[in-house]
Amino acid sequence: MFKFDPYQQYMMPAHFGPRNRKAPSGWYHNVTSMVVSYRTDREKLSAYLPEPFEVAEDPIITIVYSCNKEVDWLAGHGYNLIGVNASVVFNGAVDRLEGFYTLVMWENLADPILTGREVQGIPKIYADIPDHSVIGGVFRAKASHFSSPIMEMSITDLYYPSLAELKERQDFMEGRDNWMGWKYIANPDGFGSMVSEPTLFPAETKYKALQMGTGSINWESLTWEQNPTQYHIVNALAELPIVEYLPAIVTQGSTNLAVEGVPVRALK
Amino acid sequence: MFKFDPYQQYMMPAHFGPRNRKAPSGWYHNVTSMVVSYRTDREKLSAYLPEPFEVAEDPIITIVYSCNKEVDWLAGHGYNLIGVNASVVFNGAVDRLEGFYTLVMWENLADPILTGREVQGIPKIYADIPDHSVIGGVFRAKASHFSSPIMEMSITDLYYPSLAELKERQDFMEGRDNWMGWKYIANPDGFGSMVSEPTLFPAETKYKALQMGTGSINWESLTWEQNPTQYHIVNALAELPIVEYLPAIVTQGSTNLAVEGVPVRALK
Amino acid sequence: MFKFDPYQQYMMPAHFGPRNRKAPSGWYHNVTSMVVSYRTDREKLSAYLPEPFEVAEDPIITIVYSCNKEVDWLAGHGYNLIGVNASVVFNGAVDRLEGFYTLVMWENLADPILTGREVQGIPKIYADIPDHSVIGGVFRAKASHFSSPIMEMSITDLYYPSLAELKERQDFMEGRDNWMGWKYIANPDGFGSMVSEPTLFPAETKYKALQMGTGSINWESLTWEQNPTQYHIVNALAELPIVEYLPAIVTQGSTNLAVEGVPVRALK
Amino acid sequence: MFKFDPYQQYMMPAHFGPRNRKAPSGWYHNVTSMVVSYRTDREKLSAYLPEPFEVAEDPIITIVYSCNKEVDWLAGHGYNLIGVNASVVFNGAVDRLEGFYTLVMWENLADPILTGREVQGIPKIYADIPDHSVIGGVFRAKASHFSSPIMEMSITDLYYPSLAELKERQDFMEGRDNWMGWKYIANPDGFGSMVSEPTLFPAETKYKALQMGTGSINWESLTWEQNPTQYHIVNALAELPIVEYLPAIVTQGSTNLAVEGVPVRALK
């Protein structure tokens, strides 16, 4: 008979034993990222934030594409992601912090989607996300599902920034790297919830190279027939106005998702 | 501000609104299945069953490959799956029933994996599962992940069975189509659980054509490097002895996963 | 030392021996097709026909999507294709015949692309072509490459036609099933040709089911950045006007591409 | 009416105009390669060489995996390849040179397969080739087709070599980078040839980083059912004995396949 060991980490199917503990670390050793941010409409963005999240002083949407290679927990394989994050303040009874609330994160590999959703509460869903292309100095990335495009993003006019220029993006680069989600698990019949709570998950990044440039995003508008499980998400994002782009960023480096001494936790 | 509507069904990300309710039904209109079953060792199988599940009188493993087309909730798209099920008795304080406990189910599309895991508690994980091939009257299906094979199955010597022959597989064809899983959701830090309970999910099937034949399964043995997230599952299945094959089945038909009046529910 | 056997069929790499002769036949046993045709502009179409091809009396473009399963020469595996064909007359010194000139054919598997190009002279190129979807009685198919859409097609309002209705599409269904291409192989430096000649390739079809309906095609307009190897093809097709749709067709059946006694041959 | 321009480069379909001339160069700007070589049996290798190719003094098989990114002619997209090359002497009536004869090259993108085969005469065929993984300092690459593994290769114990150590692989690194193939195009009926001649194609490489290590290759043995179009190729390679491995190489750099003033040409 199978019995759960309370000192182990499990995911479904749990009865074959705990999640693999062979990964040498939580590091992603080879990560190329494109970061495109824009100011949007505070009212419209606020419609997607559950209490006690509030839109930050500056209503910014930050989209991060990452091409992750040499991922330790995947035995050195990799995957790509595109995350869409809102600048927020979490204004809880106990916790009060600024950071990014992940509105949605597309990934092209199921394994990190399952872990991210069921453990950390990150709203990850699947998309085809090919490796970014680089031609004529322009970085491009895109996502699609059911063969229907979701979005594409590009960064042009790249240059190595001065410290003063970097400061224009201190919202992304400094200090406020609190990443937050909302973990939600429905009852077996689909109605009501067994789990519904905000979460905080850490990330640690080391940069080997960083350039700044001019970003651009194009969101599609979709029908149910084109993308039956995600069209409402894409359409909601497409309707958030792009008031003004902030300087975009391209980075090479490495990322750690298992920061020592900083466990993922529920927010109160 | 986003607020949950208690009369709606949500999945992460919930804040963009309830799960799409545009699907005309729960029917999969075009399903081709290969069913290969074998008797195994009761003791060894029992090691993977959490209480109060028990191995059924006849310790049978039933592997179902399905090529699902014209799926209503996916706007007419499809996907493939390979499920591994144990014949069990659920011997609970309230519920007592015979049926299949799903040990693991591989699917080649993330969307039904997420719903199956987070709502119904079916232990679905991802694999590449190409459409089955048919050559010289032989049906073949296979699964792989991270480019490493997981298993392959085949059915040869197909014939249209008499009713007497069909009865040899009444374990699969009749009455006991109770499908059961164990829904498990870890805490945000990965340790311990927020949800851990057995579930029962219905399915309704209509057959247009049914043949019987001789089944065969080949499980791989894998290293962590080959399949870092699933090797322990594949190896556990590979070590369950194949004592004797039962007659195998190939079917064409349709399947309904939203049986009216029979909601998915927790077992007690 | 490797020597060519003049009585064998070879493709690169030839030195490992002749093309596999294990295929039981040239049959594709399980083929679902969508056929959408439209009248276009004679002048504009004629710009793409090399001499001595001429636009047929009725300037029709016929687009055929096929989902091919149980393909004998692929050991029972399958693939999908979308072919774009012009109704033409071949007006050669020796041969004079009506039929279809294949302007381009996208396929989602390299193996038939190589054989089709290098042996028969069919202008096959690669695209992602997912299996068609069927929802609410509507058939849909689409193609993309480098994650950029190429086209999508649909057929609605399907019905089982009378013989009189079928006759409206006798251009496709009867008699004139001469399929033609232009085989072209460049010199090693890319300039000029080693092979440049028209070809005729047979096909034999058996229908199990046939419906007629209302077809529709949507061609994309593409930049070099979006599809660097095919954008000029897609744009040329997008610019052919759709003057009027003919009744569309959905079929189930089987196809033979190795018709006995009718070899592929050059046209004179 | 379409007419060929003799000063342009065409591929099928030719009638939509010449091959795209928008590519800024022939450079692949970001290439990671794994090179594993071994000494094999001279007699057995010689069976696959058409006259006037001869096995070189040292009968070496060199397998090159390349992860190609930022490819100019693909608008900055990329692809992966695994080429298998024999050390040979071309002993023709006019040309006499040492170099590599490409026995077969697998690629995971159809576009370069078509160009390589039809223009240069490189025996490229399709395989699924995921990006290499890197875990614990070990590089791994693999290929499969129809979901059946073809081969896997790895390089361990990597170090930055001295010049003396590099010289052990001067067969690969220096001077003899003549890459050769055999261009073969069958008649339309499949028998006999329209083109059958040896070719020489150049490549220019710049290294940013180079490590040496211990290589290993594992070839599969396959049935027709597993890989109907390539099983005879894989089996032939699997039967070439691995007498001794040479030091293996991992490189990062860039490659130019359109070397100025060195056109691809036929060998005499």
Side-chain angles (χ1 to χ4, degrees):
Chain A
M1 180 198 322
F2 167 75
K3 280 186 187 302
F4 286 93
D5 175 344
Y7 300 102
Q8 294 288 354
Q9 298 190 333
Y10 294 93
M11 287 185 62
M12 291 175 267
H15 44 250
F16 292 111
R19 286 163 65 192
N20 161 44
R21 302 285 79 202
K22 289 208 181 179
S25 83
W27 280 96
Y28 291 46
H29 294 287
N30 182 345
V31 177
T32 302
S33 294
M34 295 168 57
V35 182
V36 174
S37 302
Y38 50 87
R39 202 158 277 121
T40 190
D41 181 87
R42 168 180 303 275
E43 287 294 310
K44 288 188 174 152
L45 174 55
S46 130
Y48 302 119
L49 301 187
E51 267 191 317
F53 286 107
E54 295 170 7
V55 180
E57 196 182 320
D58 204 359
I60 305 289
I61 296 290
T62 293
I63 294 156
V64 181
Y65 157 86
S66 290
C67 176
N68 302 306
K69 306 280 188 203
E70 307 184 23
V71 177
D72 268 7
W73 74 277
L74 294 173
H77 293 90
Y79 64 97
N80 299 335
L81 64 82
I82 292 177
V84 181
N85 308 282
S87 294
V88 298
V89 175
F90 182 83
N91 207 350
V94 174
D95 294 300
R96 197 186 183 287
L97 40 86
E98 292 178 67
F100 289 109
Y101 177 67
T102 300
L103 292 166
V104 65
M105 186 179 288
W106 282 278
E107 298 189 332
N108 70 349
L109 185 70
D111 306 75
I113 292 176
L114 302 188
T115 316
R117 292 176 68 90
E118 296 176 20
V119 184
Q120 291 100 315
I122 309 173
K124 297 179 171 189
I125 54 180
Y126 183 86
D128 294 315
I129 306 174
D131 280 10
H132 59 284
S133 65
V134 184
I135 187 79
V138 179
F139 279 66
R140 285 184 181 84
K142 52 172 53 177
S144 64
H145 192 31
F146 296 110
S147 303
S148 289
I150 291 170
M151 61 89 82
E152 55 186 13
M153 60 194 287
S154 65
I155 305 184
T156 62
D157 304 319
L158 286 161
Y159 61 94
Y160 291 95
S162 67
L163 262 182
E165 288 165 323
L166 254 184
K167 277 197 179 162
E168 291 185 63
R169 288 311 311 275
Q170 66 184 3
D171 67 306
F172 182 75
M173 303 300 298
E174 271 175 39
R176 280 176 273 175
D177 57 347
N178 293 314
W179 298 89
M180 294 172 274
W182 193 286
K183 187 168 175 176
Y184 182 90
I185 299 292
N187 284 311
D189 67 356
F191 294 95
S193 67
M194 308 181 82
V195 175
S196 185
E197 68 176 27
T199 59
L200 175 69
F201 42 97
E204 179 184 356
T205 303
K206 293 181 187 166
Y207 297 112
K208 284 192 215 164
L210 189 152
Q211 291 172 280
M212 290 179 78
T214 303
S216 175
I217 297 269
N218 185 39
W219 289 101
E220 296 288 329
S221 292
L222 294 174
T223 63
W224 176 75
E225 286 79 6
Q226 290 176 308
N227 188 338
T229 55
Q230 306 177 345
Y231 75 104
H232 62 298
I233 299 170
V234 180
N235 290 346
L237 294 170
E239 283 163 22
L240 285 177
I242 299 178
V243 174
E244 185 187 19
Y245 283 105
L246 277 66
I249 308 171
V250 170
T251 65
Q252 271 90 34
S254 48
T255 303
N256 183 14
L257 299 184
V259 185
E260 210 177 322
V262 189
V264 182
R265 68 174 175 92
L267 288 168
K268 311 263 172 195
Chain B
M1 179 198 321
F2 168 74
K3 279 185 186 303
F4 286 94
D5 176 342
Y7 300 102
Q8 295 288 355
Q9 299 190 332
Y10 294 93
M11 287 185 62
M12 291 175 267
H15 44 248
F16 291 110
R19 286 163 65 192
N20 161 43
R21 302 284 78 202
K22 288 207 182 181
S25 83
W27 280 97
Y28 291 46
H29 295 287
N30 182 344
V31 178
T32 303
S33 294
M34 295 169 57
V35 182
V36 174
S37 301
Y38 50 88
R39 201 159 278 122
T40 189
D41 181 88
R42 168 181 303 276
E43 287 293 310
K44 289 187 174 155
L45 174 55
S46 133
Y48 302 119
L49 300 188
E51 268 191 317
F53 286 107
E54 296 170 5
V55 180
E57 196 183 319
D58 204 0
I60 305 291
I61 296 289
T62 293
I63 294 157
V64 181
Y65 157 85
S66 289
C67 175
N68 302 307
K69 306 280 187 202
E70 307 184 23
V71 176
D72 268 7
W73 74 277
L74 295 173
H77 293 90
Y79 66 97
N80 299 335
L81 65 82
I82 292 177
V84 181
N85 308 282
S87 293
V88 298
V89 175
F90 182 83
N91 207 351
V94 175
D95 294 299
R96 197 185 185 288
L97 39 86
E98 292 178 68
F100 289 108
Y101 177 67
T102 300
L103 292 166
V104 64
M105 186 179 289
W106 282 278
E107 298 189 331
N108 69 349
L109 185 70
D111 306 76
I113 292 176
L114 303 187
T115 316
R117 292 176 68 90
E118 296 175 21
V119 184
Q120 290 100 316
I122 310 173
K124 296 178 171 189
I125 54 180
Y126 184 86
D128 294 315
I129 306 174
D131 281 9
H132 60 285
S133 66
V134 184
I135 188 78
V138 179
F139 279 67
R140 286 184 181 84
K142 52 173 52 178
S144 64
H145 193 31
F146 296 108
S147 302
S148 290
I150 291 170
M151 61 90 82
E152 55 186 13
M153 59 195 288
S154 65
I155 304 183
T156 62
D157 304 318
L158 286 160
Y159 61 94
Y160 291 95
S162 67
L163 262 183
E165 288 166 322
L166 254 184
K167 277 197 179 161
E168 293 184 62
R169 289 309 311 275
Q170 65 184 5
D171 66 306
F172 181 75
M173 302 299 297
E174 271 175 38
R176 280 177 273 175
D177 56 347
N178 292 314
W179 298 90
M180 293 173 274
W182 194 285
K183 187 168 176 176
Y184 183 91
I185 299 292
N187 284 313
D189 67 356
F191 294 95
S193 68
M194 308 181 82
V195 175
S196 185
E197 68 176 27
T199 59
L200 174 70
F201 43 98
E204 179 184 355
T205 304
K206 291 181 187 167
Y207 298 113
K208 283 191 214 163
L210 189 153
Q211 290 172 280
M212 291 179 77
T214 303
S216 176
I217 297 269
N218 185 41
W219 289 101
E220 296 288 330
S221 293
L222 295 173
T223 64
W224 176 73
E225 285 80 5
Q226 289 176 309
N227 188 337
T229 55
Q230 306 176 346
Y231 74 105
H232 63 298
I233 299 170
V234 180
N235 290 346
L237 294 170
E239 283 162 21
L240 284 177
I242 300 178
V243 174
E244 185 187 19
Y245 282 105
L246 278 66
I249 306 171
V250 170
T251 65
Q252 271 90 36
S254 47
T255 303
N256 183 14
L257 298 184
V259 185
E260 209 178 322
V262 189
V264 182
R265 67 174 176 92
L267 287 168
K268 311 263 171 192
Chain C
M1 179 197 324
F2 168 73
K3 279 184 185 307
F4 285 95
D5 175 343
Y7 300 103
Q8 295 287 356
Q9 299 190 332
Y10 293 93
M11 287 185 62
M12 291 176 266
H15 43 250
F16 291 111
R19 285 163 64 192
N20 161 44
R21 301 287 77 202
K22 288 207 182 179
S25 82
W27 280 96
Y28 291 46
H29 294 287
N30 183 343
V31 177
T32 303
S33 295
M34 295 169 57
V35 182
V36 174
S37 301
Y38 50 87
R39 202 159 277 121
T40 189
D41 181 87
R42 168 181 303 276
E43 287 294 309
K44 288 187 174 154
L45 174 55
S46 131
Y48 302 119
L49 300 188
E51 269 192 316
F53 285 106
E54 296 170 6
V55 179
E57 198 182 317
D58 204 359
I60 305 290
I61 297 289
T62 293
I63 293 157
V64 181
Y65 157 85
S66 289
C67 176
N68 302 306
K69 305 280 188 202
E70 307 184 23
V71 177
D72 268 7
W73 74 277
L74 295 173
H77 294 89
Y79 64 97
N80 298 336
L81 64 83
I82 292 177
V84 182
N85 308 281
S87 293
V88 298
V89 174
F90 182 83
N91 207 350
V94 174
D95 294 301
R96 193 180 188 292
L97 40 86
E98 291 178 69
F100 289 108
Y101 177 67
T102 300
L103 292 167
V104 65
M105 186 179 288
W106 281 277
E107 297 189 333
N108 69 349
L109 185 71
D111 306 76
I113 291 176
L114 302 188
T115 316
R117 292 176 68 90
E118 296 176 20
V119 183
Q120 291 100 315
I122 309 173
K124 297 178 171 187
I125 54 180
Y126 183 86
D128 293 316
I129 306 174
D131 281 9
H132 59 284
S133 66
V134 184
I135 187 78
V138 179
F139 279 67
R140 285 184 182 85
K142 54 174 51 177
S144 63
H145 192 31
F146 296 108
S147 302
S148 289
I150 291 171
M151 61 90 83
E152 56 185 11
M153 59 195 288
S154 64
I155 305 184
T156 60
D157 303 319
L158 286 160
Y159 62 94
Y160 291 95
S162 67
L163 262 183
E165 288 166 321
L166 253 183
K167 277 198 178 160
E168 292 184 63
R169 289 311 311 274
Q170 65 184 4
D171 67 304
F172 182 74
M173 302 301 297
E174 274 173 36
R176 280 176 274 175
D177 56 347
N178 293 314
W179 298 90
M180 293 173 275
W182 193 285
K183 187 168 176 176
Y184 183 91
I185 298 293
N187 284 312
D189 67 357
F191 294 95
S193 68
M194 308 180 83
V195 174
S196 185
E197 68 176 27
T199 59
L200 176 67
F201 43 97
E204 180 184 355
T205 304
K206 291 181 187 168
Y207 297 112
K208 283 192 216 165
L210 189 152
Q211 290 172 281
M212 290 179 77
T214 302
S216 175
I217 297 271
N218 185 40
W219 290 101
E220 296 289 330
S221 292
L222 295 173
T223 63
W224 176 74
E225 285 79 7
Q226 289 176 308
N227 188 337
T229 56
Q230 306 176 346
Y231 74 104
H232 62 298
I233 299 170
V234 180
N235 290 347
L237 293 170
E239 283 163 21
L240 284 178
I242 298 177
V243 175
E244 185 187 19
Y245 283 105
L246 278 65
I249 308 170
V250 170
T251 66
Q252 272 90 35
S254 48
T255 304
N256 183 14
L257 297 185
V259 184
E260 208 178 322
V262 189
V264 182
R265 67 174 176 91
L267 288 168
K268 310 264 171 190
Chain D
M1 180 198 322
F2 167 74
K3 280 184 186 304
F4 286 94
D5 176 343
Y7 299 102
Q8 294 287 354
Q9 298 190 332
Y10 293 93
M11 286 186 63
M12 292 175 267
H15 44 250
F16 291 111
R19 286 164 63 191
N20 161 44
R21 302 285 78 203
K22 288 207 182 179
S25 83
W27 281 96
Y28 290 46
H29 295 286
N30 183 343
V31 177
T32 303
S33 294
M34 295 169 57
V35 182
V36 174
S37 301
Y38 50 87
R39 203 158 276 122
T40 189
D41 181 87
R42 168 181 302 277
E43 286 293 309
K44 288 188 174 153
L45 174 55
S46 131
Y48 301 119
L49 300 187
E51 269 191 315
F53 286 106
E54 295 171 6
V55 179
E57 197 181 319
D58 204 0
I60 305 290
I61 296 289
T62 294
I63 293 157
V64 181
Y65 157 85
S66 290
C67 175
N68 302 306
K69 305 279 188 204
E70 306 183 25
V71 177
D72 268 5
W73 76 276
L74 295 174
H77 294 89
Y79 65 98
N80 298 336
L81 65 82
I82 292 177
V84 182
N85 308 282
S87 293
V88 297
V89 175
F90 182 82
N91 207 350
V94 174
D95 294 301
R96 194 181 187 291
L97 39 86
E98 292 177 68
F100 290 108
Y101 177 67
T102 300
L103 292 167
V104 65
M105 186 179 287
W106 281 277
E107 298 189 332
N108 70 349
L109 185 71
D111 306 75
I113 291 176
L114 302 188
T115 316
R117 292 176 67 90
E118 296 176 20
V119 184
Q120 291 100 316
I122 310 173
K124 297 177 169 187
I125 53 180
Y126 183 86
D128 293 316
I129 306 174
D131 280 10
H132 59 284
S133 65
V134 185
I135 187 78
V138 179
F139 278 67
R140 285 184 181 85
K142 53 173 52 178
S144 63
H145 192 30
F146 296 109
S147 303
S148 289
I150 291 171
M151 60 91 81
E152 54 186 13
M153 58 195 288
S154 65
I155 304 184
T156 60
D157 303 319
L158 286 160
Y159 62 93
Y160 291 94
S162 67
L163 261 184
E165 288 165 322
L166 253 184
K167 276 198 179 159
E168 293 185 63
R169 288 311 310 275
Q170 66 184 4
D171 67 305
F172 182 75
M173 302 300 297
E174 273 176 36
R176 280 177 273 175
D177 57 347
N178 293 314
W179 298 89
M180 293 173 274
W182 193 285
K183 187 168 174 176
Y184 182 92
I185 298 292
N187 283 311
D189 67 356
F191 294 95
S193 68
M194 308 181 82
V195 174
S196 186
E197 67 177 27
T199 59
L200 175 69
F201 42 98
E204 181 184 355
T205 303
K206 292 180 185 166
Y207 297 112
K208 283 193 217 164
L210 190 153
Q211 290 172 280
M212 290 178 77
T214 302
S216 175
I217 297 271
N218 184 41
W219 289 101
E220 295 289 330
S221 293
L222 295 173
T223 63
W224 175 74
E225 285 79 6
Q226 288 176 310
N227 188 337
T229 56
Q230 306 177 346
Y231 74 106
H232 62 298
I233 299 170
V234 180
N235 290 347
L237 293 170
E239 284 163 20
L240 284 178
I242 299 177
V243 174
E244 186 187 18
Y245 282 104
L246 278 65
I249 308 170
V250 170
T251 65
Q252 271 90 36
S254 48
T255 303
N256 183 13
L257 298 184
V259 185
E260 207 177 324
V262 189
V264 182
R265 68 174 176 92
L267 288 168
K268 311 261 173 195

